[in-house]
Amino acid sequence: MSGEWEEQIRAALGEIPCELVIRDVDIVLCGAGKVAKGDIAVHRGTIVGMLEHYEAQREMDGEGMYALPGFIDGHIHLESSMLTFCEFSKLAVPHGTTALVCDPHEIANVCGLSGIEELMREAASVPLSVFFTAPSCVPATPLETSGARLDASQLEPLIVRDEVVGLAELMNMAGAIHRDPEVMLKVRAARRVHKRVDGHCPLLSGKQLNAYMMAGPSSDHESTLPEEALEKLEKGMWVMIREGSVSKNMEEVLGGLLDAHVDMRRCMLVSDDRHPLDIRKRGYFEGVLTRAIEMGVEPVEAVAMVSLNPAQYFNLDGFGEIAVGKRADIVLTDGLEDISIQRVLVGGKEVASNGKMLADVPSYRFSPALRDTVRLPPLTESSFAVRTHAEDTTRVRVIGVLEDSLITESLRWELPVVDGEIREDVDADVLRIAVVHRHGKTDSIGLGFVRGFGLNGGTIGSTVAHDSHNLVLVGARKRDMLVAAQHLASVGGGFVAVRDGDVVASLQLELAGLMTTASSEEVSTGLDELHRVVAGWGCPLSSPFMTLSFMCLPPIPHLKLTDVGLVEDFSLVSLEVSSL
Amino acid sequence: MSGEWEEQIRAALGEIPCELVIRDVDIVLCGAGKVAKGDIAVHRGTIVGMLEHYEAQREMDGEGMYALPGFIDGHIHLESSMLTFCEFSKLAVPHGTTALVCDPHEIANVCGLSGIEELMREAASVPLSVFFTAPSCVPATPLETSGARLDASQLEPLIVRDEVVGLAELMNMAGAIHRDPEVMLKVRAARRVHKRVDGHCPLLSGKQLNAYMMAGPSSDHESTLPEEALEKLEKGMWVMIREGSVSKNMEEVLGGLLDAHVDMRRCMLVSDDRHPLDIRKRGYFEGVLTRAIEMGVEPVEAVAMVSLNPAQYFNLDGFGEIAVGKRADIVLTDGLEDISIQRVLVGGKEVASNGKMLADVPSYRFSPALRDTVRLPPLTESSFAVRTHAEDTTRVRVIGVLEDSLITESLRWELPVVDGEIREDVDADVLRIAVVHRHGKTDSIGLGFVRGFGLNGGTIGSTVAHDSHNLVLVGARKRDMLVAAQHLASVGGGFVAVRDGDVVASLQLELAGLMTTASSEEVSTGLDELHRVVAGWGCPLSSPFMTLSFMCLPPIPHLKLTDVGLVEDFSLVSLEVSSL
């Protein structure tokens, strides 16, 4: 190590040839806020020289190209890609993303610390630099039953680890504001080692936002309104502008910040959740950057939003820019306004070219415990019956789906009652939704209704169901729901579409019921088929299974369903209501 | 502590009144890069709320004023002020400077670790937040004899301390570039605990700069040329633009960076060295900021250069901006273009108003060891004779003083020889200079000639003599030199002006021969008197004693004198030369 460092200084001085020199490239200098043309000299994984002529063991012609720092996704839940780090890196790296800050919140809710440690072990072997935040809210709320709990005493040994850069999004806003002792212990554990506390505070403002910030969080990625992001920025937060596969907030939020003429040094572009299909079709950050630049962000500043800014925020030593002494994670593009990626270097090695991965990525052997996580209570068709004392009709709360948003509406609807059961109204697109505990801890099942899936028949089901990842089902018929549940239990989890008692399409996610060792191609093909089938049943949603997976997430407004029941703005509420 | 934090969250939420609310003030938001009007709520030393209405125990009307974050001087040697932290804070805080990053390099060269620890202990009791960097070059070079040595093993326990934010300016450029094992151990000690390595690399460029950066340093405050600063910034350094009492680099360096249209997020304004006289006459950062804004820096960005930027660079948690959760170090001014300071809050307490300190500052009782540091070898008049084998005349190297610069010229001059001694040439302003070892370790005396002090008679002397702080004397007559040396030895160090065998004026610096417990008024009066006397003797320099103190600093180009002899560009050179 000392020998390597000395050798790098010698190479910088020109005493020995550098392993690689990229010649005559336009270098995007995020720190200086400009572009300068020259050479980049790399030795033993590090940028040892710039803007000087060096002898090289290998040369790369950069003429006509731009060199950008490798992109850093400052907030992502890997589990949402359904891929392992191995497969995700094959997909992400050719698109220029070379570092991730991952919150392993999903696997933590299913498998606890052992799940996080499995991901950390896998991450160590892939050509992506993976940093972690320590999940702060496992379970996310007391309004659901998760597979594991992580209290402050369990997080402490995690937070001190070198690859852990902070406490993950503090979704328990009420706990923070009202000084829940356990929340304060977690924040204190991060602060003690000078690490960040990430926030999660959708629509929070005014004194409540001040109190939340005072409790610790210094970032937020949940702004959906421009004035919301502006208030957070003005009060001192770092604003992660989310443009992922589910939530797309860039147009509004970035647009608003541009209108307000703010400094962008504390803004990042993050994905939060990324589908493999989405990356395959639209790239990772290329389209996002291109659009940000179109909207009016200076190109160098736009690049900084996915490199220097997250590196600065999380104190990622040695990452985030093309500068002497930094890691040689370099993206070569053929333009700077319309970002199109030609070659990608990770730690000085060319690992991707023209969208194709060149490097071999070793696959990791996961613990068998991760494959045995779907443990349902005994189920029959009648488990899915929604009982009532009402006659003829009744009025119920209905979850209203909003496309491209985690937020739902809280609707009210009048539904028919037959034989003591509240029935769905397929014609009005009001379907049955069930959340079945799947971690073998209780027999709880939550039942309700949802509008927006548009299914004219059939049932869809998922063991990906934020944040406790119970089994969620939406459909019209109880028998299809039972078949869907049984199928997912038999394959260790995943997505399924069932009609008339038959499994029509499915995708196995055998790792914690969230992820699979299958390739992104297989996952994409499986999802494509599921989407095709579900679209054929009338579903208007572009990502119906991702939308389905957010139906159970109580920290997000407004109406959600967990295995415990309906939750509205952090409280359990009744299904039936007295008025519309 | 936990109770205090909980109370702050409650105050943020509005559950209890805040201790202080500044109403209707224009708040300079360095993170967001804008100004917003509203209230700032402070409780228990911290900004708990902003831009919302809070009930207050005490209100302050901010109408018509701007609230700026307290200024941070990102690089200063306290010792150069000659004051203790107690007296310095009385001077600096009313001028808006509320935090310092101090390199106790001077006292370290005289007293070693015990001197640093004395300063740290004193710093803990003053109304200034003081951070330290661990002196990396004690002694600065092997070309002089200092009072102490600090090797890597002694620095390690220092660097890990909470108030130590990095390794101080790495002046040993050659050692860094050529991989001196001791230098690498020091850098490694800082990196191991994720702390910064400050640089010092005047005029370094090209591959040598790359190699130097590769060896660790990520900042530099020595740029004197615009292209020099630009190269450092482009290669990834943080650029500290120095505008102190001796070196004034802002016009050229900032002007050049403005012309190059760079992003200023990595630029800071620092003083390096500050005279009390200078602060009393021209303020601390007010004039610097006003001028930077005049030159074209956006006002909010200019403020960030003395607040957010240094806080970001050094990872000063909780400092550097007006934001929720940050320490309430707040400067109230009546304008933002022409900075004039009305009130200063430190940790939420109003400590200064209209340029006057309101708070009591306790004085610290320094260890007696600090008062006994001037230990001269036996001296007679002939100790100052410059012997030669030449007859009639000889050619010598002469140090050429450049006003307002640490850099000197290397001149050559023909001087008369009388009785085997080279004589000064007062008419041509070529005077005798002597550097006498004063730490009781050797009997070494360096002798040479200097041009630029303009003294038509008399001798000036100083025990402040960067970086080893030996005794430096400039004058014409050997007898005056002897008297000056004896006087300074008798008072424990300081400055003196002697003519015709009499001490005409002097300033006692009894702490390590560098500093005094006297007030800034007393120091200013003493210095004023010295300056008046020396100006009367024909000296054209505005700060003759500061200029004198830099005559011995070998890391700075070009020609310097130490107790060991003449040094030119890091090598000992002969006084006499064969040609002009």
Side-chain angles (χ1 to χ4, degrees), chain A residues 2 5-6 8-10 12-13 15 29 31-34 46-54 177-179 184 187-188 191 194 206-208 210-211 213-215 231 233-236 238 262-263 265-266 301 308-309 312 315 317 321 323-325, chain B residues 2 5-6 8-10 12-13 15 29 31-34 46-54 177-179 184 187-188 191 194 206-208 210-211 213-215 231 233-236 238 262-263 265-266 301 308-309 312 315 317 321 323-325:
Chain A
S2 174
W5 182 26
E6 285 182 38
Q8 287 168 334
I9 302 173
R10 293 187 65 203
L13 205 50
E15 289 180 355
L29 303 170
K34 61 176 295 223
T46 297
I47 298 167
V48 299
M50 280 167 62
L51 304 170
E52 310 295 336
H53 186 83
Y54 283 94
I177 289 172
H178 298 294
R179 307 166 296 281
M184 296 188 80
V187 170
R188 201 183 289 277
R191 286 185 161 179
H194 303 288
K207 289 182 188 173
Q208 293 213 320
N210 291 348
M213 292 177 68
M214 197 58 233
E231 181 183 348
L233 201 63
E234 287 182 346
K235 288 179 171 175
W238 292 66
V262 297
D263 193 319
R265 67 160 87 182
R266 288 210 167 151
E301 188 60 70
L308 183 61
N309 299 4
Q312 188 93 69
N315 288 316
D317 278 359
E321 60 184 311
V324 176
Chain B
S2 174
W5 181 26
E6 285 182 41
Q8 287 168 334
I9 302 172
R10 292 187 63 202
L13 204 51
E15 289 180 356
L29 303 169
K34 62 176 296 224
T46 298
I47 298 166
V48 298
M50 281 165 62
L51 304 170
E52 309 296 336
H53 186 84
Y54 283 94
I177 289 171
H178 297 295
R179 307 165 297 281
M184 296 188 78
V187 170
R188 201 184 290 279
R191 285 185 162 178
H194 303 288
K207 289 182 187 172
Q208 292 214 321
N210 291 348
M213 291 176 68
M214 197 60 231
E231 182 183 347
L233 200 63
E234 286 182 349
K235 287 178 171 176
W238 292 66
V262 298
D263 194 318
R265 67 160 86 183
R266 286 206 170 157
E301 187 60 69
L308 184 61
N309 300 4
Q312 188 93 68
N315 288 316
D317 278 359
E321 60 183 311
V324 176

Side-chain angles (χ1 to χ4, degrees), chain B residues 393-462:
Chain B
T393 66
T394 186
R395 291 150 177 166
V396 295
R397 287 185 168 90
V398 171
I399 301 170
V401 171
L402 295 171
E403 174 127 45
D404 290 342
S405 175
L406 300 189
I407 293 173
T408 59
E409 289 179 295
S410 178
L411 309 174
R412 292 180 179 207
W413 215 267
E414 183 148 0
L415 289 177
V417 174
V418 179
D419 298 335
E421 278 185 42
I422 309 172
R423 293 293 172 90
E424 65 284 352
D425 180 349
V426 175
D427 292 342
D429 186 21
V430 177
L431 300 177
R432 196 179 294 250
I433 178 167
V435 178
V436 183
H437 178 78
R438 65 123 165 146
H439 304 295
K441 307 211 156 173
T442 77
D443 289 352
S444 53
I445 303 180
L447 296 170
F449 295 91
V450 63
R451 185 165 198 272
F453 278 92
L455 299 175
N456 55 29
T459 282
I460 58 175
S462 169

